[in-house]
């Protein structure tokens, strides 16, 4: 039985995978700078005997062929980049690069996929099809490594029929994983607004264009787009997070800058909202006599998990691990460039529980003290290998 082999091999390779994770954690690299990481991944794949190529400068794509390679092609994805954060964990394998840290668990994703690759390679007589391993750069930074790899053809030759990605979850206990079909994470676009007008003496506002007041109306007007135009059953968030203008008590400034983020779960609404944001902000500014420039920088699309694929993955996980270990992922307004893949082919983005209150491991991702409970690594390797060997869209 392949399940038993995977369980045995995952246990056998856990220590080695943890050592790989420690190496990656100690040597983090920022988005699109993953040169050492990519070379490390290539060396590991070569050691296992998995043919691989470079893609997108610091991406590595490996291919494992099982029985009847053309019968089924699936992709397993891990991201490899770290964040510009100064690590404060005091771990023996803490970052050796000041100001760069694996604070989102991408070291875990990469090491678990290497562990799974080793298992899938050793069991290739036991499963059908071809597995494409995607070690991608730049998840944390626009335009997103996924979008670059897609442009370079990662979803062609051979063309995967589905893609699986895993992410650590410090809110979910170790020993558990979670799945969800449909919408799981939001799109994220950046909003940059500049309001211009002739400022002047604060005691003579009638002789000026009050850019501060215009900006204030725009902040409020934009909030009403979400509350009045968005379908309340589809979450969407608009947050203006910086309001910059002025310098003293008695001068109305010539310019005010607003920046913020817009998030949505529905791609149609997302682009409709961009137009509403531009229209609303422009008409407020013009109505009050000011000029306005608006830039909406398009970020990652929402992550949509194919319903049937995720139901199948969840079903397999329940059989493999037991009902108690499998939960439903909660909706999040965070973004993930896995969305680029899942907009193109059926995707399954699942969560690996890495929380352990007894060990004091509860802190969230993107913080200087983030860490995972490494007891979760065995589950991470096992699940990637198991889904790689078994997951199909049709049952
Ligand atoms: Zn992150
Ligand atoms: Zn991440």
């Amino acid at each position: 039985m392949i399940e038993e082999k995977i369980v045995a091999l995952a246990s056998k390779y856990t220590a080695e995978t943890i050592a790989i994770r420690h190496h990656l954690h100690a040597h983090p690299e920022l988005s699109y700078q993953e040169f050492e990481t990519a070379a490390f991944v290539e060396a590991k794949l070569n050691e296992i005997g998995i043919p691989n190529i470079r893609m997108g400068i610091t991406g590595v794509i490996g291919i494992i062929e099982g029985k009847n390679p053309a019968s089924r092609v699936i992709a397993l994805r891990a991201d490899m980049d770290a964040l510009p954060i100064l690590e404060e964990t005091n771990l023996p394998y803490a970052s050796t690069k000041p100001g760069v840290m694996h604070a989102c668990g991408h070291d875990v994703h990469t090491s678990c996929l290497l562990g799974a690759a080793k298992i899938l390679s050793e069991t290739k007589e036991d499963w059908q099809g071809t597995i494409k391993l995607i070690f991608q750069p730049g998840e944390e930074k626009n335009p997103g490594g996924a979008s670059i790899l897609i442009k370079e053809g990662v979803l062609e030759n051979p063309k995967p029929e589905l893609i699986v990605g895993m992410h650590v979850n410090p809110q979910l206990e170790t020993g558990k994983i979670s799945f969800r079909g449909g919408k799981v994470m939001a799109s994220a676009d950046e909003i940059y607004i500049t309001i211009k007008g002739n400022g002047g003496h604060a005691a003579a506002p009638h002789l000026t264009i009050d850019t501060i007041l215009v900006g204030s109306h725009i902040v409020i007007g934009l909030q009403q787009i979400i509350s009045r135009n968005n379908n309340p059953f589809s979450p969407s968030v608009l947050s203006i997070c910086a309001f910059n203008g002025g310098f003293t008590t008695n001068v109305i400034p010539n310019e005010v800058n607003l920046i913020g983020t817009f998030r949505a779960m529905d791609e149609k609404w997302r682009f409709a909202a961009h137009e509403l944001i531009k229209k609303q902000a422009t008409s407020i500014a013009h109505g009050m006599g000011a000029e306005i420039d608006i830039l909406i920088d398009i970020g990652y699309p929402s992550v949509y998990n194919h319903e049937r694929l995720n139901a199948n993955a969840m079903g397999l996980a329940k059989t493999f691990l037991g009902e108690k270990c499998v939960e439903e992922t909660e909706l999040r307004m965070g973004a993930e460039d896995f969305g680029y893949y899942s907009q193109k082919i059926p995707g399954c983005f699942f969560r690996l529980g890495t929380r352990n209150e007894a060990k004091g491991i509860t802190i969230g991702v993107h913080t200087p003290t983030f860490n995972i409970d490494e007891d979760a690594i065995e589950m991470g390797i096992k699940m990637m290998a198991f889904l790689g060997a078994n997951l199909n869209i049709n049952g």
Side-chain angles (χ1 to χ4, degrees), residues 38 47 74 107 147 174 271 347 355 368:
E47 213 176 282
I74 81 159
D107 51 341
S147 76
T174 298
F271 291 102
R355 180 186 188 87

Side-chain angles (χ1 to χ4, degrees), residues 300-323:
Y300 302 166
S302 52
V303 177
Y304 181 81
N305 272 342
H306 188 278
E307 298 274 9
R308 197 167 64 241
L309 179 64
N310 280 269
N312 290 346
M314 203 169 184
L316 282 172
K318 281 181 178 168
T319 322
F320 187 46
L321 308 169
E323 294 262 348

Side-chain angles (χ1 to χ4, degrees), residues 77 79 81 83 103-106 109 139-140 166-168 185 335-336 349 351 365-366:
R77 173 270 206 172
D79 40 14
D81 55 329
L83 286 157
C104 200
H106 299 186
H109 310 158
E139 192 287 319
E140 297 285 3
M166 175 179 84
H167 206 291
V168 298
M185 292 179 79
E336 235 293 338
F349 188 67
R351 297 268 174 185
V365 295
H366 291 218

